[in-house]
Amino acid sequence: MTVELLRNAVRPYAWGSRTAIPELLGRPVPAPHPEAELWMGAHPGDPSHVIGPDGTERSLLELVDADPVGQLGERCAKRWGGRLPFLLKILAAEEPLSMQAHPSAAQAAEGHAREERLGIPRDASNRNYPDPTAKPELVCALTEFHALAGFRDPGRTVKLLKAIETPGLAKYTGLLEAQPDPSGLRALFTTWITLPQPSLDGLLPEVLDACVRHVQEHGEFATECRTILELGEAHPRDAGVLAALLLNRLTLREGEAIYLPAGNLHLYLSGTAVEILANSDNILRCGLTPKHVDVPELLRVVDFACGEMPVQPGECADDRMAVYHTDAPEFELSRMEWTADDPTEIEVDSAGPQILLCTAGDLLVTAADGERIELRRGQSVWLPAADPAVKIRPLDGVRAQLFRATAGTCEE
Ligand SMILES: [Zn+2]
């Protein structure tokens, strides 16, 4: 029996919140530095550590490497070459992240091989494909969470562009109106993202002024325009501000999730969320960041499919459990909820490697042999594949919430 607590690394990216992660972990707030992400998993960049009963710690990456079949199960170990296929994160965004997309499995394999051939070091800042694998991701809101994701229906975007019409924008509006489909979006996005700086410097102030007017008039697209203004304030000369006009503006409520498959262009704006993703760092950025930007490579992977982004509901399908659906073979995320004074014990079967994360209340985890471990808010545990099922129930009468990360259905 090895239900063991994890000690997880915090990533201090500048866009992070000083309060969300420390508050969840029960540390003093505000923290002295931004705390952007908490990583739970076996990513070589910052693996979690498993805390043994005697307080000793071992890197989860080392544990998996030493016994892939015992830790991951035979099928998962074989399918993913002895690596834990997913990474679970808490994401705490105070400020917007970069605009980005991730490659498909085939694009990642090809890009990785190409950059290896070119001899670009894996940790170089201009490396696009440090990993040979895809990076699908799913983000589930813990607080109200704001994002731009996927291309808006072009008809709606034409309406938005007309609502903020300026002389400089008119020809671009006309371009999309003449071809309101993925090809038209590709043409307009490519034009904007590659505009020479002098043209951008002429157009952007005009667009931002138009957005100010639209917000003041409480126009139909006021929320979208406020986001453009926020991005424009932080990056006043960046073509990504124009590109942001083309994306869906989403507000997720607690428990709601979006799935970002390969090629989906997205930008997280603000809020706290649980994120699950394939254990990969392949990111192609097109702007709104001081980090490496590679527009030609991004254009190779972006998917210009358009329309509303499907938002998965936060309600629990059966009483206490919500499963988030994706086509990603690397992961599956589910959420368990107990309302106040609900003492029901839930059995969590042993389906490959699992990480359980408590995000509200306190829980009691009981293993098959009767051993018990208390899981407090902000704490997480590692369940190796070799372990039998465990049972979980709230420790006291308050509301409790648990996220469960597992590998997806491993096809043979
Ligand atoms: Zn992403």
Side-chain angles (χ1 to χ4, degrees), residues 4 158 284 286 396:
E4 284 166 333
V158 166
L284 296 152
C286 69
D396 44 39

Side-chain angles (χ1 to χ4, degrees), residues 100 102 135 137 260 266 268 275:
Q100 57 185 244
H102 309 293
K135 185 181 178 275
E137 56 195 38
L260 307 151
H266 55 276
Y268 298 146
E275 186 186 34

